[in-house]
Amino acid sequence: MKPGWKEALVLGTAACFLTLGEEQRQASPANDLPLPPQGPNLLAQGTFDAGLGRWTLWTRQPGAGRASWEAGGGRGGSGAARIEISGERDWSFSPGRRAAVRPGEIWLLRCWVRIEGWARAVLGATARDRRGKTTDWSLGAQTIFGPTDWAECRSWILVPPNTASIEPRLTGEGKGRLWVDDVEARRCGRAETLRAGLPQALELTNGLLRVKFFTDRGALEVEDLRCGKLWRQEAPDARLTALKASQKGGSIRATLLDARVAACFEASIRPVPGRPEIEVALEGKGPLQTAVCYPHPFLTKTNSWLVIPLNEGIGYPAGDPSIRPMRLIAYGGHGICMAFWGATEGEAGQMAIIETPDDAAIRIRRLRGRLCVAPEWDPQRHRFGYARRLRYVFFERGGHVAMAKRYRAYAKRLGRLKTLAQKRDENPNTDLLVGAVNVWCWDPDPVGIVREMQEAGIRRILWSHRADPQTVRRLNRLGVLTSRYDIYQDVMDPALFPKLRGVHPDWPSEVWPEGIMLDEFGRPRQGWRVRDKEGKWRACGVVCDKVAVRIAARRIPAELKTHPYRCRFIDTATASPWRECYAPAHPMTRSESRLWKMRLLDFVSGKMGLVCGSETGHDAAAPYVHYFEGMLSLGPYRVPDAGRDIGRIWTEVPERTAKFQVGQFYRLPLWELVYHDCVVAQWYWGDYNNKLLPIWDKKDLFNALYATPPMFMFTRRFWREHKERFVRSYRAVAPVVRAAGWSEMTDHRILTPDRNVQQTVFSNGLRVTVNFDSRPRRLPDGRTVPPMEFLVDGLKKSKAGNGS
């Protein structure tokens, strides 16, 4: 096995070999509390021994459901409520009774459900304040998915502030038949009953950090003893509390009740001996329907900056009101492409490394008017699953560079730090990639276009569009890195082909429907959409990642016998998220989805011996790919419809694109600081250098600063009309990329308070200084950088700059 395979298999996947119904039936009750039910069952008629009582069914789609009493339909042969749903929209089955509650009370909701079909039932409660206004429609929601035999659904509710009553109920969606029996709602006491005797806080130190754990809401306070900096967490709300907490063997262990997920879990907090780091682990049992949001975010200050590996990387001033709160998954390219985040405060900083990212995300939100970040742990196939792990790291100084270098060391330990030089040793065609411009052109005469480019001085070219065998051979003789687009995600129902405007040649129709992914309702997961002849959108199905490798094993070797490509671009593999699959023939967790996606990329680059690229990018694929199309382009700030309207040339720049996509005030080269010498980063094919003419120069500057190659997309006419500009772009950037492309980026320096003058340093001694300003800027050594130009030190025979 290659480096990275062992890491790819770490997370538990045993549950995926059961059907979802089997998982539910075999599950132990969810996170039992050491507190017996104290009050009577509020829903005495929930046994359904003599009828439905006051229970009624509501459906959003009129006439799409029916509730009845079925004698002998219950678990033990007694009566049960029978619900038949014929529509896809939501429904509610309610007892018509509310319970008066007080904040801090703990309630137990429980029922048994049997389901035929791909419907789901959700046990929860509607919460209301004293005025009767609904504050939560699904407090304590826990879900049972069909089809399943009798399965218990249990939920613990910690009554939140400003709540005066709850109304337990069942809700759901999807077609099917359901039987419900033994519904209970019982008051079980108060949280402070379980917390009696707990100290206000527990404290640990490892000589470098002093860590306090506050038992009321589970928040941490960390003092960096090296510099005296204090970092404090704050709970966004009062829905989490510690029921137990103890200190033993250098760790703090706590039992936490989280009302947001209606369950308990165990938390372990351990300062790492001899390091300014803290390990946090969360463990739970039983069902989990929504994300666990713990640990809490560390508060920020007005001078704080968030450090977020959103694609290439970005820094957000904590007090910037223009930044929208967002959730970024850690299990796909359209989230964070590396599993960490950080925050700086002056010279000091702290970061968090997500050590179990396959079902994780981060939430950027505001507390006290400033941005902060916290992790969220998504369910694994609707269960808590494996232990979730996080590592906090604290810095006296170093900022985003120190964070990136700490993550690089972590990536090396995982086996992900495979350099381009190592990849070149395995595949000499890697040398053709470094310093090559990525060209997307659909002209029928690629050889003619390439010859014109090379005669004009653009020598190193990655030609990304497919061609016939003779053309591929001719391009190879010209020294071109020949490639073609390929995809193993999307497949359209062949029955719809007559209605479509065209059929994509890479759709593997032979796997429909057996080889597609299903969601928990048994419905095909939806992929790329296309318009049919009538203008109606039609969604592709998503090929199961296990099946995709088999398709590639049939397709690629057969094509290479006639088409001697040197490279292959695999679309969506590292852009789309790792997905769960509920198809009985090939069930899958996100961890397994990632594993099979990596096997696909490893098959292309390893067994097939091709230079391999993929879309957007994620560092799980770093050992298996050579380049990412889209890593440079920050996903939320691309132009509208960038993935479809790829050929459109923009003459006006959208405000958000100008501010963030090419905003030197915000952008950070986090990917380059970790992986510059391992994977080549490129712009997205809907965000290439010449896409937006007013910022073409600025994109060239970022290419120079990061030592990354440009991307061009053009027609023959546009090429000839702008030939001089294309050549200028290539000549300015390509020598820098060629010189630094094999080297680690060791530093990124912001030289002026306005962030307009920046500098990067590489391990081979190359240094690039860029002036993004509209006026000349003087450097500390006395040299002047002209406006919108750059200087290079350490590049032989170079006088760098956009005009050179």
Side-chain angles (χ1 to χ4, degrees):
M1 288 186 177
K2 294 189 175 184
W5 282 113
K6 184 176 181 181
E7 177 267 333
L9 291 165
V10 166
L11 300 182
T13 57
C16 76
F17 296 107
L18 303 171
T19 67
L20 187 57
E22 288 171 335
E23 292 175 34
Q24 294 168 150
R25 293 195 301 276
Q26 294 183 18
S28 58
N31 303 298
D32 279 330
L33 293 178
L35 187 70
Q38 296 178 351
N41 181 11
L42 174 71
L43 307 176
Q45 295 178 329
T47 59
F48 302 112
D49 289 336
L52 296 182
R54 297 172 60 186
W55 287 78
T56 58
L57 178 69
W58 168 90
T59 60
R60 188 169 300 277
Q61 180 180 342
R66 175 174 172 267
S68 60
W69 178 68
E70 183 173 310
R75 287 191 303 137
S78 59
R82 172 171 168 160
I83 303 171
E84 298 176 83
I85 304 297
S86 59
E88 295 288 352
R89 304 188 71 183
D90 57 309
W91 52 268
S92 173
F93 187 51
S94 303
R97 183 175 181 183
R98 302 179 186 179
V101 298
R102 291 185 297 169
E105 287 183 345
I106 298 174
W107 281 71
L108 168 66
L109 304 184
R110 179 165 50 193
C111 72
W112 288 81
V113 180
R114 179 165 71 92
I115 305 176
E116 290 182 358
W118 293 91
R120 72 169 178 174
V122 182
L123 176 65
T126 301
R128 296 179 175 88
D129 62 18
R130 291 183 178 181
R131 295 176 296 175
K133 182 180 178 181
T134 298
T135 58
D136 194 329
W137 287 102
S138 55
L139 181 64
Q142 292 285 3
T143 305
I144 293 288
F145 288 87
T148 180
D149 202 348
W150 286 108
E152 183 185 25
C153 188
R154 180 182 294 194
S155 170
W156 292 103
I157 289 179
L158 175 63
V159 178
N162 194 36
T163 303
S165 70
I166 61 171
E167 181 181 358
R169 62 176 186 157
L170 280 168
T171 59
E173 60 180 329
K175 296 179 181 179
R177 289 188 293 181
L178 303 88
W179 286 261
V180 182
D181 199 5
D182 294 334
V183 186
E184 297 180 53
R186 298 179 185 270
R187 182 183 285 108
C188 301
R190 299 184 60 81
E192 52 261 36
T193 303
L194 292 181
R195 289 175 38 78
L198 280 184
Q200 180 185 6
L202 297 173
E203 183 175 313
L204 286 174
T205 182
N206 64 357
L208 299 173
L209 304 174
R210 180 180 290 113
V211 182
K212 280 188 177 181
F213 172 83
F214 293 93
T215 60
D216 55 349
R217 297 186 183 179
L220 298 178
E221 179 182 277
V222 181
E223 182 183 2
D224 191 332
L225 299 176
R226 300 166 301 171
C227 60
K229 177 73 183 92
L230 197 64
W231 301 91
R232 291 189 177 95
Q233 290 184 347
E234 182 171 294
D237 55 47
R239 298 194 181 191
L240 184 143
T241 189
L243 302 179
K244 293 182 178 180
S246 62
Q247 179 180 328
K248 185 179 180 181
S251 296
I252 294 171
R253 294 193 63 87
T255 300
L256 301 177
L257 172 61
D258 189 345
R260 290 165 296 193
V261 298
C264 287
F265 55 88
E266 301 292 323
S268 171
I269 298 105
R270 174 181 174 265
V272 179
R275 300 184 67 91
E277 302 183 1
I278 301 171
E279 295 174 340
V280 179
L282 308 181
E283 298 182 74
K285 298 179 181 178
L288 183 67
Q289 307 306 330
T290 57
V292 172
C293 306
Y294 187 81
H296 302 307
F298 281 104
L299 292 172
T300 56
K301 295 185 178 180
T302 53
N303 65 334
S304 297
W305 282 72
L306 303 187
V307 178
I308 308 294
L310 171 66
N311 305 121
E312 177 65 51
I314 197 164
Y316 289 133
D320 190 334
S322 70
I323 311 301
R324 302 172 183 174
M326 65 187 81
R327 185 179 195 265
L328 300 170
I329 61 170
Y331 46 86
H334 290 293
I336 52 174
C337 68
M338 297 178 285
F340 76 90
W341 80 86
T344 64
E345 189 176 308
E347 288 290 313
Q350 52 87 11
M351 72 179 295
I353 298 174
I354 305 172
E355 296 188 347
T356 51
D358 285 351
D359 299 281
I362 66 172
R363 175 79 64 178
I364 301 175
R365 61 183 302 164
R366 282 188 172 82
L367 281 178
R368 302 190 182 186
R370 295 182 296 273
L371 295 171
C372 55
V373 188
E376 296 189 352
W377 309 100
D378 289 339
Q380 184 192 49
R381 287 176 62 90
H382 305 289
R383 299 180 62 77
F384 196 104
Y386 54 92
R388 313 303 179 95
R389 301 187 184 278
L390 183 77
R391 178 182 298 268
Y392 287 115
V393 186
F394 297 85
F395 302 90
E396 292 181 89
R397 64 185 63 87
H400 66 280
V401 175
M403 295 176 191
K405 293 309 174 185
R406 177 62 183 90
Y407 187 79
R408 180 179 169 94
Y410 173 74
K412 183 176 182 179
R413 183 169 67 83
L414 292 183
R416 291 183 176 178
L417 214 67
K418 185 175 181 179
T419 67
L420 287 165
Q422 292 173 306
K423 295 171 183 178
R424 178 181 55 188
D425 292 340
E426 296 177 358
N427 183 352
N429 286 330
T430 304
D431 189 69
L432 298 175
L433 173 68
V434 176
V437 57
N438 189 345
V439 176
W440 283 97
C441 177
W442 284 260
D443 191 86
D445 181 20
V447 174
I449 292 284
V450 167
R451 281 178 172 160
E452 288 187 29
M453 294 179 70
Q454 292 183 334
E455 289 170 0
I458 302 177
R459 303 296 304 173
R460 306 184 69 84
I461 299 170
L462 163 59
W463 189 267
S464 287
H465 185 49
R466 71 177 78 197
D468 60 77
Q470 182 180 1
T471 298
V472 174
R473 293 188 183 93
R474 294 173 68 190
L475 290 172
N476 285 343
R477 288 194 291 270
L478 292 172
V480 172
L481 181 58
T482 48
S483 184
R484 73 96 132 181
Y485 172 98
D486 201 359
I487 186 169
Y488 295 91
Q489 172 182 279
D490 298 313
V491 59
M492 182 63 74
D493 182 354
L496 295 176
F497 285 0
K499 299 180 179 181
L500 302 181
R501 300 175 183 181
V503 176
H504 198 288
D506 293 327
W507 286 342
S509 302
E510 68 275 12
V511 305
W512 185 280
E514 292 82 6
I516 65 172
M517 282 186 157
L518 302 182
D519 65 16
E520 54 265 50
F521 298 106
R523 301 173 302 200
R525 291 204 180 277
Q526 294 192 354
W528 187 251
R529 297 189 306 157
V530 298
R531 289 191 185 273
D532 63 17
K533 296 175 181 177
E534 298 178 352
K536 181 180 179 181
W537 286 108
R538 301 283 186 173
C540 288
V542 174
V543 176
C544 183
D545 295 313
K546 292 181 181 180
V547 178
V549 179
R550 298 199 297 268
I551 300 169
R554 292 194 300 266
R555 178 185 295 172
I556 298 176
E559 185 179 48
L560 290 179
K561 290 178 181 179
T562 56
H563 296 66
Y565 291 113
R566 293 167 166 170
C567 177
R568 205 172 190 95
F569 173 72
I570 308 300
D571 198 15
T572 76
T574 54
S576 296
W578 324 150
R579 293 182 173 97
E580 293 180 337
C581 180
Y582 294 85
H586 41 80
M588 189 160 33
T589 62
R590 291 190 187 97
S591 297
E592 288 186 306
S593 174
R594 171 178 56 84
L595 172 64
W596 285 101
K597 284 174 179 279
M598 298 310 107
R599 285 185 174 176
L600 170 64
L601 297 172
D602 187 49
F603 174 79
V604 175
S605 61
K607 191 167 184 178
M608 292 294 95
L610 296 170
V611 174
C612 180
S614 193
E615 183 191 359
T616 303
H618 190 285
D619 79 327
Y624 315 114
V625 302
H626 299 80
Y627 69 98
F628 284 130
E629 278 194 19
M631 181 59 75
L632 289 180
S633 300
L634 310 180
Y637 308 119
R638 300 171 185 172
V639 297
D641 212 17
R644 294 182 183 275
D645 196 9
I646 59 175
R648 176 185 172 187
I649 303 298
W650 290 61
T651 57
E652 295 183 2
V653 183
E655 180 182 357
R656 281 168 57 82
T657 301
K659 182 174 182 176
F660 296 107
Q661 189 67 272
V662 290
Q664 68 274 13
F665 188 77
Y666 296 96
R667 288 189 66 114
L668 295 173
L670 300 178
W671 177 264
E672 310 310 321
L673 286 163
V674 179
Y675 288 113
H676 182 269
D677 56 339
C678 299
V679 182
V680 176
Q682 301 175 352
W683 301 104
Y684 181 58
W685 78 336
D687 186 44
Y688 40 91
N689 288 60
N690 59 293
K691 174 78 172 178
L692 298 103
L693 298 182
I695 58 173
W696 189 344
D697 287 348
K698 204 166 188 184
K699 287 201 167 185
D700 289 351
L701 288 179
F702 277 111
N703 281 132
L705 183 66
Y706 297 172
T708 56
M711 175 187 285
F712 302 154
M713 182 181 290
F714 51 71
T715 62
R716 178 180 292 267
R717 178 179 177 180
F718 192 88
W719 154 251
R720 290 181 171 171
E721 290 176 349
H722 298 270
K723 180 187 294 187
E724 181 181 343
R725 181 64 187 86
F726 281 116
V727 172
R728 181 157 54 96
S729 179
Y730 175 84
R731 285 181 172 173
V733 175
V736 179
V737 181
R738 185 65 183 165
W742 309 97
S743 301
E744 177 188 350
M745 181 187 284
T746 57
D747 202 3
H748 171 242
R749 303 164 182 169
I750 299 170
L751 301 182
T752 58
D754 60 10
R755 304 172 80 90
N756 281 333
V757 184
Q758 300 186 18
Q759 186 179 86
T760 51
V761 182
F762 297 87
S763 58
N764 65 346
L766 196 78
R767 186 168 68 248
V768 182
T769 307
V770 171
N771 178 16
F772 290 102
D773 207 344
S774 58
R775 59 188 175 92
R777 301 297 291 264
R778 186 176 296 275
L779 301 180
D781 62 8
R783 292 182 298 167
T784 297
V785 188
M788 293 295 290
E789 293 280 356
F790 62 92
L791 300 177
V792 181
D793 296 296
L795 182 62
K796 295 180 180 180
K797 298 180 182 179
S798 168
K799 183 178 179 181
N802 278 355
S804 64

